[in-house]
């Protein structure tokens, strides 16, 4: 489970750095991928990652922050699976039409989560 948390933390760190340094790349990726993917698939993936993070948090240095990140992922999964479709479209519209500053703020949050995950296991 330690390698799972390190992998997720590294992915968060890399994607957050890309969002901060080159937000136009992430905007183009979002415009190409988000309209084509079913929201329920993303919801199941978020639910699975959240459950695994919650389970794997018992072995690390920072248990509570990793459990909170896992709980947020589980909640995101439930919202994407069981939430109304018009709210999903609104969220996707926000992400695709966001400015560079919004992508950089999202990148800061993503980097913070990645650092917490990596610090809990190293």
């Amino acid at each position: 489970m330690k390698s799972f948390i390190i992998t997720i933390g590294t992915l968060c760190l890399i994607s957050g750095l890309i969002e901060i340094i080159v937000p136009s790349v992430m905007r183009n990726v979002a415009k190409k991928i988000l309209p084509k993917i079913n929201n329920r698939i993303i919801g199941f993936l978020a639910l699975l990652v959240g459950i695994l993070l919650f389970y794997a948090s018992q072995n690390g240095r920072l248990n509570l922050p990793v459990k909170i990140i896992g709980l947020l992922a589980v909640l995101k999964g439930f919202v994407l699976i069981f939430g109304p479709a018009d709210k999903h479209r609104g969220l996707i519209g926000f992400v695709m039409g966001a400015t560079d500053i919004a992508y950089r703020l999202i990148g800061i949050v993503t980097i913070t989560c990645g650092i917490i995950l990596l610090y809990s296991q190293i």
Side-chain angles (χ1 to χ4, degrees), residues 2-122:
K2 182 177 182 177
S3 61
F4 174 74
I5 291 181
I6 291 174
T7 303
I8 296 296
T10 305
L11 289 175
C12 287
L13 198 62
I14 290 170
S15 65
L17 286 173
I18 292 172
E19 287 173 342
I20 288 176
I21 296 171
V22 192
S24 60
V25 170
M26 292 305 279
R27 184 180 309 113
N28 291 336
V29 169
K31 284 183 181 179
K32 289 179 183 176
I33 293 176
L34 285 179
K36 297 176 185 176
I37 295 178
N38 187 356
N39 291 329
R40 298 201 193 289
I41 294 172
I42 297 172
F44 281 117
L45 288 175
L47 186 67
L48 178 67
V49 169
I51 290 170
L52 288 175
L53 280 175
F54 200 76
Y55 175 71
S57 68
Q58 300 168 5
N59 300 330
R61 187 183 308 177
L62 299 174
N63 294 338
L64 185 62
V66 176
K67 283 184 181 181
I68 290 173
I69 292 171
L71 181 65
L72 290 174
V74 167
L75 291 175
K76 176 184 176 181
F78 278 131
V79 167
L80 287 175
I81 293 169
F82 300 114
D86 59 337
K87 299 296 181 186
H88 300 168
R89 285 189 290 271
L91 181 62
I92 290 172
F94 168 74
V95 171
M96 290 192 314
T99 63
D100 287 347
I101 295 171
Y103 275 100
R104 287 189 172 116
L105 288 173
I106 293 169
I108 290 170
V109 171
T110 307
I111 286 175
T112 305
C113 289
I115 289 173
I116 289 171
L117 290 173
L118 287 174
Y119 182 73
S120 72
Q121 294 299 316
I122 295 177

